[in-house]
Amino acid sequence: MKNVKVYLLLTGFFISQNMTAQIKELKGASLSPKEIDRFIAVQMDSLQIRALSMALIKDNKIVYFKAAGTKNTQLQPVDEHTVFEAASMTKPMFAYIVLQLAKEKTLNLDTPLYTYLPNNDIAYDKRYTLITARMVLDHTTGFPNWRGDNKLTINFTPGTKFDYSGEGYEYLARVIEHLTGRKMEDLFQQYIFKPMSVKNSSLTYNDYVAKHITDGITDTGERARNQPYREARVSSSLYTEPREYAKFVIRLMKESADSKSIFQEMAVPQIEIHEPNMDPNLKIAMGLGVFVEKTPYGTKYYHGGSNGNCYNSLFQIYKDQKIGLVYFMAGCKQWEFAVRLNKFLNTGK
């Protein structure tokens, strides 16, 4: 690293690790690390973000890293080791594993899952026999996101429309464990963590997580944490930090040049998304584990995450420009921050 600067600001602590003198915005102009530092400081103050950690990627390398804010009531600074809940950003990693297993012929993406492992929670509705791994990965199962205390239901004919569902991912995880005879933690180690050198990341709570995790934040601004994940959930339980998650993102970016890669399978649009109150000018589709959006700056591939107590996150890739980012935060205004950050990185304003 060329330099390490530590700033003590009114909003907390900043650690800025800048590995390049200039960072290109999508329009081609340059942003200095100091400009990005300033932008983040302003946003954390105005959006009441207590903790933020972010990595920017260019040409398959992290070119900028920021750890900012404080992680608990003792005002310990967020640093390069601080762990966050990745929430739904667990899903793209799981999708990558599923596609690798499909490549190895462990399962077929279009074979109904019940033929591998029946789901007694939904067997009363015969439409569940239509559900495939592909439908799980592109969120067209018909399942709700979560059943809560209710009976699991199918809300439309599987495969006919998009409706985001963690339930589907958890069903597919059980199928995968049944077919492989292995626990999900082991499969993440084999297909993601070890080959991509992702360290200090886990699907379940452990001593390292306990020592390094930041508090979340309630809607009323109080520090809080969720109940620890003692069992793996492929939909939401990953504990990690942006430089480690960036290793997965960089793998996807490298694979984007290979027409036969796992990423290229993930990136194929499966179904267009038309949600109520959605901006009609947005052109978003669901791939296999990633969202695909046509933008004025090229096609963007991304996935976000949001767990209770405002653990929010996002990764995105512009593969043609070889630009990407990953961030995790403890802050409730995820959408506002994402919009402002994209505008800033796209235009410098």
Side-chain angles (χ1 to χ4, degrees), residues 67-192:
T70 57
K71 63 183 185 180
N72 50 36
T73 55
Q74 290 76 41
L75 301 183
Q76 291 180 301
V78 176
D79 61 24
E80 64 268 30
H81 303 297
T82 300
V83 170
F84 293 75
E85 290 191 17
S88 287
M89 277 172 56
T90 316
K91 291 183 176 78
M93 285 186 171
F94 175 65
Y96 189 95
I97 293 170
V98 173
L99 292 171
Q100 182 61 48
L101 290 170
K103 194 173 183 179
E104 295 171 5
K105 309 296 186 184
T106 302
L107 78 164
N108 185 293
L109 294 181
D110 299 306
T111 296
L113 294 182
Y114 87 98
T115 65
Y116 298 125
L117 181 69
N119 185 338
N120 293 330
D121 289 349
I122 195 65
Y124 71 90
D125 188 330
K126 295 304 181 184
R127 292 179 297 176
Y128 111 95
T129 62
L130 302 173
I131 294 173
T132 65
R134 186 182 304 277
M135 293 175 193
V136 169
L137 299 183
D138 68 14
H139 295 283
T140 59
T141 60
F143 290 145
N145 190 15
W146 298 113
R147 74 185 83 178
D149 295 328
N150 302 314
K151 183 167 70 171
L152 182 60
T153 59
I154 294 176
N155 299 325
F156 54 83
T157 301
T160 61
K161 61 183 287 189
F162 170 88
D163 195 14
Y164 192 84
S165 175
E167 289 281 358
Y169 270 68
E170 296 304 326
Y171 176 27
L172 180 54
R174 295 195 297 274
V175 171
I176 295 296
E177 289 185 332
H178 173 73
L179 291 174
T180 62
R182 300 177 64 196
K183 293 294 185 181
M184 200 51 60
E185 295 97 320
D186 295 335
L187 294 170
F188 268 69
Q189 285 289 341
Q190 178 180 348
Y191 290 104
I192 303 289

Side-chain angles (χ1 to χ4, degrees), residues 35 69 98 126 150 156 162 213 226 264-265 342 347:
E35 288 177 295
V98 173
K126 295 304 181 184
N150 302 314
F156 54 83
F162 170 88
I213 192 167
N226 297 322
Q264 289 289 15
E265 288 188 70
N342 270 296
T347 67

Side-chain angles (χ1 to χ4, degrees), residues 187-339:
L187 294 170
F188 268 69
Q189 285 289 341
Q190 178 180 348
Y191 290 104
I192 303 289
F193 296 158
K194 287 183 179 179
M196 300 181 198
S197 298
V198 175
K199 302 174 182 178
N200 300 325
S201 298
S202 174
L203 288 180
T204 54
Y205 199 78
N206 57 31
D207 290 343
Y208 184 90
V209 172
K211 181 178 179 181
H212 294 285
I213 192 167
T214 183
D215 289 345
I217 180 173
T218 68
D219 291 338
T220 58
E222 298 173 358
R223 307 269 186 171
R225 291 189 186 178
N226 297 322
Q227 288 295 315
Y229 286 104
R230 302 295 183 184
E231 297 182 357
R233 292 176 69 89
V234 299
S235 57
S236 59
S237 74
L238 179 66
Y239 295 102
T240 190
E241 53 92 358
R243 293 179 309 164
E244 293 303 304
Y245 198 95
K247 294 175 181 178
F248 172 64
V249 176
I250 289 169
R251 171 64 66 89
L252 298 183
M253 294 172 76
K254 287 180 177 178
E255 290 190 4
S256 68
D258 180 358
S259 62
K260 297 182 180 180
S261 68
I262 299 296
F263 173 75
Q264 289 289 15
E265 288 188 70
M266 297 174 72
V268 175
Q270 304 290 315
I271 189 165
E272 292 184 358
I273 298 175
H274 302 285
E275 296 288 280
N277 302 318
M278 179 175 156
D279 183 344
N281 295 316
L282 290 177
K283 299 190 180 301
I284 303 176
M286 191 70 220
L288 298 177
V290 294
F291 292 88
V292 183
E293 180 178 352
K294 301 291 184 182
T295 82
Y297 308 100
T299 303
K300 178 171 68 175
Y301 305 90
Y302 64 96
H303 206 293
S306 184
N307 273 1
N309 288 315
C310 294
Y311 287 100
N312 286 307
S313 55
L314 178 72
F315 89 85
Q316 63 186 36
I317 297 168
Y318 288 89
K319 73 180 181 73
D320 294 336
Q321 294 91 339
K322 298 182 179 179
I323 292 173
L325 68 81
V326 182
Y327 70 73
F328 299 98
M329 69 158 72
C332 297
K333 296 183 179 178
Q334 149 83 330
W335 185 84
E336 292 93 330
F337 179 74
V339 169

